């Protein structure tokens, strides 16, 4: 059951992501319907939808059941609109090449690792307890996830507006899976695929004419993820052992995808990456890691694109 749900939750964002790219950049000749690079775009759209539903449930007192129905309705609307945009745009589909086989095998190996050997790390994290409290009360932040009693002093608003617990609760309702299976197996698999998609975008920008080099780049990313799974704080550990955390999604998906969007100068997607981080992690009034990376990338690209102007201004 959970495998079917994982396939569904990968297919729907892929279609929505392709629809977003066609809608924003449909006039560009280099926009093609593809696999890996459209997936992060679709998940950013789902995060935005989950944030809207989460805020409605928290401030308007809507039940989790109503939030689930609203999330499904909004997702279906985005899916239908994306299909319409894709069909109308008539963009060609990127064909897989022989060099994509090896990265796919690495991906399958990491997926098996998550399913069999990965040990989930819940150090200083209460997402699992929060999701269980949402499901138990059919509401959002109605009881303390540690005690089960109603909140007495409350929790910081900046913490409450983060939407991942609500998103995972909705997934549990839709799939009838336990929060443990959802967070330790399904979500890390999904984020691994998104991580692959984000780094595929970087490889596409670094090696636009060489499929072999892009393949080697993805294989190197997979090896680094596996090697970096030995300690808390490393990106490999974040994706493979605690892929449900907002910080893991930010570091392993949003930041590399943002870098690729900076290289392609797709500023709408850059802004959406920055907004998605504010929805899933604690930031300083929306200013987090993504906005710093975007500013740094814009500065570096400006320097490399205008070296003579910069040299003249220094003199």
């Amino acid at each position: 059951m959970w495998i079917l749900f994982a396939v569904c939750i990968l297919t729907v964002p892929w279609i929505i992501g392709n629809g977003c790219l066609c809608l924003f950049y449909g006039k560009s000749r280099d926009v093609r319907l593809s696999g890996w690079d459209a997936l992060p775009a679709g998940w950013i759209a789902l995060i935005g939808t989950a944030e809207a539903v989460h805020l409605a449930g928290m401030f308007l007192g809507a039940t989790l059941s109503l939030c689930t129905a609203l999330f499904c309705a909004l997702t279906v609307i985005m899916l239908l609109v994306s299909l319409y945009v894709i069909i109308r745009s008539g963009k060609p589909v990127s064909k897989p090449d022989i060099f994509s086989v090896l990265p796919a095998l690495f991906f399958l190996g990491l997926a098996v690792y998550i399913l069999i050997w990965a040990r989930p790390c819940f150090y200083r994290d209460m997402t699992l307890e929060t999701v269980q409290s949402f499901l138990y009360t059919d509401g959002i932040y109605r009881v303390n996830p540690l005690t089960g009693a109603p909140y007495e002093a409350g929790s910081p608003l900046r913490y409450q507006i983060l939407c991942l617990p609500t998103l995972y609760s909705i997934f549990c309702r839709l799939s009838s899976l336990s929060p443990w299976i959802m967070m330790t197996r399904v979500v890390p698999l999904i984020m691994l695929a998104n991580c692959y998609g984000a780094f595929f975008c970087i490889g596409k920008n670094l090696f636009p004419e060489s499929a072999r080099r892009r393949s080697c780049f993805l294989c190197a990313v997979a090896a680094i993820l596996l090697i970096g799974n030995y300690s808390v704080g490393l990106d490999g550990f974040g994706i493979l052992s605690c892929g449900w955390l907002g910080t893991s999604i930010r570091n392993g998906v949003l930041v590399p995808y943002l870098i690729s969007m900076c290289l392609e100068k797709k500023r709408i997607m850059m802004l959406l990456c920055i907004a998605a981080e504010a929805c899933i992690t604690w930031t300083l009034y929306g200013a987090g890691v993504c906005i710093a990376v975007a500013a740094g990338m814009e500065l570096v690209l400006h320097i490399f694109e205008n070296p003579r102007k910069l040299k003249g201004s220094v003199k």
Side-chain angles (χ1 to χ4, degrees), residues 20-304:
C20 292
L21 295 178
C22 288
L23 182 63
F24 296 148
Y25 312 104
K27 296 181 180 180
S28 176
R29 293 182 179 180
D30 62 343
V31 175
R32 290 173 171 264
L33 301 184
S34 56
W36 294 112
D37 52 349
L39 190 57
W43 260 91
I44 289 174
L46 285 189
I47 289 175
T49 304
E51 180 66 20
V53 171
H54 172 75
L55 293 179
M58 187 175 67
F59 290 112
L60 301 180
T63 63
L64 182 62
S65 300
L66 181 58
C67 291
T68 303
L70 180 59
F71 178 84
C72 292
L74 293 176
T75 302
V76 169
I77 292 173
M78 289 193 300
L79 183 62
L80 295 177
V81 172
S82 298
L83 288 173
Y84 173 77
V85 172
I86 291 171
I87 295 173
R88 187 176 180 180
S89 66
K91 291 295 178 180
V93 179
S94 298
K95 298 180 180 179
D97 52 71
I98 190 173
F99 298 109
S100 63
V101 174
L102 190 57
L105 292 177
F106 269 88
F107 174 81
L108 290 177
L110 291 177
V112 171
Y113 178 85
I114 290 175
L115 295 176
I116 299 178
W117 291 293
R119 296 182 177 180
C121 177
F122 291 92
Y123 177 69
R124 301 180 65 180
D125 174 55
M126 296 192 305
T127 308
L128 178 62
E129 292 84 354
T130 304
V131 171
Q132 290 174 332
S133 69
F134 286 7
L135 294 171
Y136 178 76
T137 61
D138 193 28
I140 297 175
Y141 289 115
R142 295 187 177 180
V143 298
N144 189 315
L146 295 181
T147 63
Y151 281 103
E152 295 182 359
S155 59
L157 180 62
R158 186 65 197 102
Y159 174 78
Q160 291 188 28
I161 65 175
L162 304 182
C163 68
L164 285 182
T166 299
L167 181 61
Y168 299 154
S169 301
I170 292 174
F171 285 168
C172 291
R173 278 290 176 88
L174 293 176
S175 63
S176 299
L177 295 174
S178 68
W180 174 266
I181 296 295
M182 179 61 63
M183 292 178 53
T184 63
R185 296 294 181 263
V186 179
V187 174
L189 282 177
I190 294 171
M191 293 311 154
L192 175 63
N194 279 272
C195 180
Y196 245 65
F199 280 101
F200 172 85
C201 294
I202 295 180
K204 183 178 63 175
N205 285 280
L206 295 178
F207 314 107
E209 304 297 334
S210 176
R212 178 179 298 179
R213 291 183 179 181
R214 291 197 299 268
S215 175
C216 292
F217 177 75
L218 278 181
C219 292
V221 169
I224 291 174
L225 289 177
L226 185 60
I227 295 172
N229 189 39
Y230 69 90
S231 177
V232 177
L234 298 178
D235 291 343
F237 187 90
I239 292 295
L240 299 179
S241 297
C242 45
W244 64 87
L245 291 178
T247 52
S248 300
I249 299 173
R250 178 195 65 197
N251 297 339
V253 179
L254 294 182
V255 170
Y257 192 64
L258 173 66
I259 292 174
S260 67
M261 294 298 102
C262 290
L263 293 174
E264 297 179 21
K265 296 183 178 180
K266 294 180 177 178
R267 290 184 170 82
I268 297 178
M269 293 306 302
M270 290 168 55
L271 294 176
L272 291 179
C273 288
I274 295 171
E277 181 190 4
C279 295
I280 63 175
T281 59
W282 194 308
T283 59
L284 182 60
Y285 300 102
V289 174
C290 285
I291 196 171
V293 172
M297 287 293 299
E298 286 292 315
L299 178 62
V300 171
L301 292 176
H302 178 76
I303 292 175
F304 277 94

Side-chain angles (χ1 to χ4, degrees), residues 301-314:
L301 292 176
H302 178 76
I303 292 175
F304 277 94
E305 289 176 355
N306 304 280
R308 294 182 180 179
K309 293 182 180 180
L310 182 66
K311 186 176 181 180
S313 62
V314 172

